[in-house]
Each structure stands twice: as structure tokens, then as C-alpha cells.
Amino acid sequence: MRIVLVGPPGAGKGTQAAYLAKNLAIPHISTGDLFRANISQGTPLGQKAQEYMRAGQLVPDEVTIGMAKDRMHQPDAENGFLLDGFPRNLAQAEALDEILKADGLKLDAVLDLEVPEDEVVKRIAGRRICRKDSSHVFHAIYNQPAAEGVCDTCGGELYQREDDSEETVRKRLEVYHSETEPIIDYYKAQGLVVTISALGKVAEVTQRAMDALPARD
Ligand SMILES: [Zn+2]
């Protein structure tokens, strides 16, 4: 099964991608992992990406597309994959179609995780991270520490990352609307989009997605 996962920041895409890939026995291909792997292995694409990142510039689409293409051609992706973070704009979506077409393949589904915008802001802007260990994560509403501003696990100070401020979240949502949402329409025209609500517990959302995806052959 070849799936693209889309959804706004705060939809829990990474978490769902990991569970779904495991359930479907296909590799989870995330843009973040692609960049990390190519850069740490020093591939030509990784070196190129690093040049742009060091200069504080956006990595051009063709670099990202090249990395995704290499990854999709690895043996473990022969029977399918779940893409997370790619494609993130229309140019990348069209390139993905070309890559698959050249191999005589096509996507089976585009899974769209839907979350109301106010919920996204609440989820992200409420995050509180421990200064001593960033894996100690709390939430001002959903997962409150026993004492305000103090990590339950180690007593470290809790803070809000700059990236998680309401203003930044609203900006990230704007980028999502203008750049990524057009790919949903593009895939709708191909009849590929399956929309599910990303509200509720992680396991419930995973089950909802498994039920909504087309039957496997
Ligand atoms: Zn802590």
C-alpha cells in the first residue's frame, strides 16, 4: 500500500504515521528522517541540503524530491510506504506522481488528518517542555504537572518553546493552508483522499484510519 499522510501541524501526524506503518508493515518515510539520514551519510543530496540550511535558506524541491525518490527505491519500500511530510506542495506532489508513473505504480490513498484550527493552537501552544530533558513533555491543559512550571519526572523547569507560541503556530497554519492544502484538492481530483478526524486518543485515531483506508490486496 502506498500512502501519503497529510494534516496540519499539531494533528499528531508523526505519531500516527509510526503506528500506521507498523500496522500495515510498510516503512514510514518522513522528511525529517530523510534529511537526517542523507546529511549524516554525507550523500550528494545531503551535502546540498546542508549548504542551503547553513545559509538559512529553504532546501529546493528538487533536493527533497531526490531524497524521497532514492528512499522509495530501497528494497523495503518495494511493497509500499507511508510518506509523512512529503509531498508538502503541489510541485512535489506532481514530481511524486512522475516517479511512481515511471515505475508503473500509483498511490493507493491520501490520508488527511483533520483537526479544527483552534484545537491545533490549543494542542501546540499548551506544550511545556522540561529544560533538563526535552523528552519530559507536559501540557497546560491535557497533561498538567503536579506543580505548575515544574517537571514531575525530574523537578526541572518547564517552559514553552518559541516554536510553540500561539503566534508561531498561527503562522505555521497559514503556510499549511497556502502550500500544502492545494495538494489535497489535487489528490481529491484523483479520488484518493480519505479524510478522518484526528481528535481523540492516539489508538482511536489509528483504528479510525485503518478502517477508512482502502482494503489491502
Ligand atoms: Zn524533567
Side-chain angles (χ1 to χ4, degrees), residues 81-153:
F81 46 72
L82 192 152
L83 295 173
D84 161 21
F86 176 87
R88 69 181 302 271
N89 58 38
L90 208 48
Q92 292 185 4
E94 286 165 355
L96 173 61
D97 273 356
E98 289 303 314
I99 293 166
L100 292 173
K101 208 159 95 187
D103 295 334
L105 302 170
K106 59 180 191 59
L107 289 174
D108 294 292
V110 173
L111 188 64
D112 174 23
L113 298 182
E114 210 169 47
V115 193
E117 193 150 322
D118 286 343
E119 176 67 20
V120 166
V121 173
K122 225 193 277 178
R123 281 185 185 188
I124 300 180
R127 267 188 213 152
R128 298 293 180 270
I129 319 281
C130 174
R131 282 203 194 276
K132 286 189 182 164
D133 184 334
S134 61
S135 74
H136 302 162
V137 181
F138 296 84
H139 195 281
I141 302 165
Y142 303 120
N143 182 20
Q144 295 176 341
E148 201 187 317
V150 181
C151 175
D152 282 356
T153 312

Side-chain angles (χ1 to χ4, degrees), residues 29-51 53-54 59 61-74 86:
I29 302 180
S30 83
T31 322
D33 289 343
L34 281 181
F35 275 79
R36 272 186 291 276
N38 277 275
I39 288 170
S40 73
Q41 288 160 19
T43 67
L45 288 169
Q47 289 174 8
K48 222 180 248 180
Q50 212 165 20
E51 280 169 29
M53 287 156 78
R54 282 207 182 113
V59 177
D61 282 341
E62 63 259 30
V63 175
T64 310
I65 292 163
M67 288 180 187
K69 183 178 177 180
D70 288 349
R71 182 65 189 85
M72 286 185 286
H73 283 152
Q74 281 170 31
F86 176 87

Side-chain angles (χ1 to χ4, degrees), residues 163-192:
D163 265 5
D164 292 346
S165 73
E166 176 161 352
E167 198 193 339
T168 311
V169 176
R170 298 263 181 214
K171 269 190 202 139
R172 282 162 66 194
L173 280 167
E174 264 173 47
V175 172
Y176 180 76
H177 288 313
S178 62
E179 283 186 20
T180 307
E181 264 180 3
I183 74 172
I184 298 176
D185 290 329
Y186 173 79
Y187 286 131
K188 269 186 184 158
Q190 299 183 31
L192 288 173

